[in-house]
Amino acid sequence: MPKNEFTLLSRAQALAGFTIGNLARNADLLVPSDLKINKGWIGRLIEIYLGVISYNKSEQDFIDLGIELKTIPIDSLGNPTENTFICTASLIKNKNTTWRTSNIKNRLSKILWIPIEGDKNIPLKIRRIGRPFLWSPSIKEDMMLRKDWEEIMNLIIFGKINHINKYTGLLLQLGAKTLNSKLLNKDIENKDMIILTLPRKFYLKKFFTKIIISGHHI
């Protein structure tokens, strides 16, 4: 685990320019043929090099530094190719949770972004690592994220989770965690009746992460 922010950033910067194949070979790992069934594999590869030891879902990756790690695939124009997963959403016992005490607020407080070439026509082995950077939301961004979160959480609390779609929230999006209908979570339906529904995740929308990375040379 890096002892300070400077050491962490230096380690991340040392990876820039290398390919996924370079890193995998050095770590004695096989590059998967399909990321669809190996979701998060690139992130776990990067974690090996940066010394992530916290796998607690309620904590940041570098808990002692207060920093979350996020890889982000980008196309040849520097545009994110997908929304960015932040954390799993709690579907019950939310009435006393505030933005300030929420897990997502904690995860978003400071992020080490590591861009990865994400064009699908580039074989995974030769996709390169971009220049990393640290980011924290501005006061205005924090207010907008809070507004999105409160809108989404109010719908969850009042049993209207099925009213939430990709247009709910400006910067944040709530999406299904899995398409496997056997993996269901408890949720509160109207009149506090417990129902089963698909787990949900919070994501940052692509247009917002594009704004985040646009101010950095990657």
Side-chain angles (χ1 to χ4, degrees):
M1 172 72 74
K3 294 182 179 180
N4 54 56
E5 188 175 295
F6 176 79
T7 301
L8 173 60
L9 187 57
S10 295
R11 284 191 188 181
Q13 289 171 337
L15 300 179
F18 284 98
T19 67
I20 296 296
N22 293 150
L23 299 186
R25 185 166 52 252
N26 191 55
D28 200 24
L29 296 175
L30 292 176
V31 178
S33 58
D34 189 353
L35 287 179
K36 289 183 179 180
I37 57 176
N38 291 277
K39 206 73 173 175
W41 184 87
I42 293 178
R44 291 189 290 274
L45 175 65
I46 298 298
E47 288 173 351
I48 292 173
Y49 283 88
L50 298 186
V52 171
I53 60 173
S54 174
Y55 296 99
N56 188 325
K57 294 182 179 180
S58 63
E59 295 180 347
Q60 294 153 313
D61 293 309
F62 302 96
I63 183 64
D64 292 340
L65 304 180
I67 296 174
E68 181 78 356
L69 171 66
K70 288 296 172 189
T71 57
I72 181 168
I74 58 173
D75 63 20
S76 59
L77 299 177
N79 298 316
T81 62
E82 59 188 41
N83 294 334
T84 300
F85 165 69
I86 299 300
C87 65
T88 300
S90 174
L91 302 182
I92 59 175
K93 299 180 181 179
N94 288 309
K95 291 184 178 179
N96 295 320
T97 303
T98 66
W99 171 245
R100 185 177 296 275
T101 62
S102 68
N103 183 30
I104 187 170
K105 161 74 170 176
N106 184 49
R107 296 298 186 95
L108 291 171
S109 61
K110 182 171 284 190
I111 295 177
L112 173 61
W113 291 99
I114 298 188
I116 311 285
E117 281 187 322
D119 280 325
K120 293 182 179 180
N121 61 334
I122 302 176
L124 184 57
K125 285 185 178 181
I126 61 173
R127 294 183 192 179
R128 292 173 298 171
I129 312 298
R131 289 181 58 84
F133 62 93
L134 287 165
W135 168 85
S136 292
S138 66
I139 294 175
K140 182 178 179 180
E141 288 169 339
D142 184 79
M143 291 175 62
M144 295 171 70
L145 289 163
R146 175 178 179 172
K147 183 178 179 180
D148 284 353
W149 178 84
E150 289 177 343
E151 177 185 2
I152 292 169
M153 294 308 297
N154 281 336
L155 289 170
I156 292 175
I157 290 170
F158 290 106
K160 297 182 179 180
I161 192 168
N162 291 328
H163 293 207
I164 300 172
N165 56 44
K166 64 181 181 180
Y167 303 107
T168 307
L170 181 62
L171 309 183
L172 283 180
Q173 180 174 324
L174 190 73
K177 184 177 180 181
T178 176
L179 297 179
N180 186 344
S181 61
K182 294 181 180 180
L183 299 176
L184 299 175
N185 276 8
K186 291 181 179 180
D187 181 37
I188 301 295
E189 183 59 284
N190 288 324
K191 299 181 182 178
D192 288 347
M193 180 176 68
I194 298 292
I195 64 170
L196 293 177
T197 186
L198 288 173
R200 301 298 204 277
K201 289 180 176 181
F202 280 112
Y203 296 84
L204 290 182
K205 294 185 177 182
K206 287 188 293 185
F207 99 90
F208 180 48
T209 54
K210 180 180 179 180
I211 292 172
I212 292 174
I213 67 177
S214 64
H216 298 269
H217 178 63
I218 57 177

